[in-house]
Amino acid sequence: AAAGALLAIWLMVRGLARSHEATGGKLSAPPPADPGTDWTPVVVIAVLALLVACVAAELLRSGWYWSGGTQVVVAVALGVTALATAVQGSGREAPEPAPSPAPTYVSPPCRSGGDSDECARSGR
């Protein structure tokens, strides 16, 4: 429980520091562009699941079946969470490019057959 609490606090502080760095310390800065997938939370959850699984194995070997079984359930839940987060992070699509700006006013073609400079002087 203590290791999980420390990992959660570390991830929260890391997230706050990362968002503060992205804005450059400004409070009213626009959100930054997508920097890509951050795999640190997935790795932390997977390590925590592995730690709980090791504790569960030791409890089961010692004859603590209820405690070991509960730890197995927790380890499986953490493993599923890590896998779901990894799949969601890797399935993220690249952002679509910004649409091109609307065209500006285009004058109608010149009826006299002259070039655009002649039409600009005539008003047509």
Side-chain angles (χ1 to χ4, degrees):
L6 286 174
L7 287 174
I9 291 171
W10 177 70
L11 283 175
M12 286 188 288
V13 169
R14 184 178 175 277
L16 288 173
R18 186 174 173 157
S19 66
H20 184 69
E21 289 172 2
T23 61
K26 298 178 184 175
L27 294 177
S28 62
D34 185 22
T37 303
D38 183 17
W39 293 103
T40 305
V42 175
V43 172
V44 168
I45 293 171
V47 167
L48 188 60
L50 184 62
L51 180 69
V52 171
C54 290
V55 170
E58 193 59 37
L59 285 171
L60 289 172
R61 285 182 57 204
S62 299
W64 292 75
Y65 298 115
W66 282 100
S67 297
T70 303
Q71 294 296 315
V72 168
V73 170
V74 171
V76 168
L78 285 170
V80 168
T81 302
L83 286 174
T85 305
V87 168
Q88 180 184 8
S90 66
R92 182 185 271 175
E93 295 179 10
E96 294 182 17
S100 60
T104 57
Y105 177 74
V106 178
S107 62
C110 190
R111 293 183 187 176
S112 68
D115 61 358
S116 60
D117 197 33
E118 178 186 345
C119 287
R121 286 192 305 264
S122 69
R124 292 188 183 229

